[in-house]
């Protein structure tokens, strides 16, 4: 999958949820109204052999923040991930200091050029 295809998938999720989205870069003093989606690539573990990088494998995190637990929104996100062929893990937590409930989807993705 390319980064453009991933960005398009994130946009599809945001449209389905009726919320904003962005690459994870909000400043700590920036106020963003929930619900919103953030995504980033925090880790990279390329497949290597014979002194060459054969495939770019990265962790993709997609974070959905809302004022309350929204099971319908979670099912929409998970449906889109499944339709795009992703296997993912889910983490959840209440962020009292930000006043939001966070659902974090984490998956491995092979990034292709294009």
């Amino acid at each position: 999958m390319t980064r453009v295809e991933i960005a398009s998938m994130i946009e599809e999720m945001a449209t389905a949820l009726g919320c904003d989205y962005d690459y994870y870069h909000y400043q700590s003093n920036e106020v963003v109204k929930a619900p919103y989606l953030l995504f980033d690539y925090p880790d990279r573990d390329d497949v290597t052999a014979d002194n060459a990088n054969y495939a770019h494998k990265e962790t993709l995190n997609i974070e959905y923040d809302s004022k309350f637990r929204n099971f319908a929104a979670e099912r929409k996100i998970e449906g889109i991930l499944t339709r795009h062929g992703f296997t993912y893990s889910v983490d959840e937590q209440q962020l009292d200091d930000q006043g939001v409930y966070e659902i974090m989807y984490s998956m491995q993705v092979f990034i292709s050029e294009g």
Side-chain angles (χ1 to χ4, degrees):
M1 186 166 251
T2 67
R3 291 188 194 280
V4 171
E5 290 170 329
I6 291 169
S8 177
M9 180 185 69
I10 301 295
E11 183 175 0
E12 177 186 349
M13 286 177 188
T15 299
L17 299 170
C19 69
D20 290 329
Y21 71 97
D22 208 340
Y23 189 77
Y24 193 83
H25 74 277
Y26 286 118
Q27 302 298 320
S28 60
N29 61 349
E30 190 175 355
V31 177
V32 180
K33 287 189 174 186
Y36 55 87
L37 286 168
L38 297 173
F39 70 103
D40 69 338
Y41 304 93
D43 297 310
R44 183 168 167 172
D45 185 19
D46 288 356
V47 177
T48 60
D50 300 325
N51 295 322
N53 292 51
Y54 285 99
H56 302 292
K57 184 173 87 171
E58 297 191 42
T59 299
L60 168 62
N61 285 341
I62 301 171
E63 176 182 323
Y64 176 67
D65 293 347
S66 60
K67 292 281 184 190
F68 56 89
R69 183 83 189 260
N70 187 334
F71 293 104
E74 292 173 41
R75 298 297 86 78
K76 287 179 185 179
I77 293 168
E78 292 165 9
I80 292 169
L81 289 172
T82 299
R83 194 168 59 253
H84 285 275
F86 284 102
T87 302
Y88 52 87
S89 62
V90 182
D91 234 359
E92 57 186 72
Q93 63 180 325
Q94 179 73 38
L95 302 176
D96 293 328
D97 61 329
Q98 297 176 28
V100 296
Y101 195 84
E102 175 189 278
I103 303 293
M104 178 72 74
Y105 297 90
S106 188
M107 63 221 72
Q108 297 297 307
V109 60
F110 285 95
I111 303 291
S112 59
E113 300 299 321

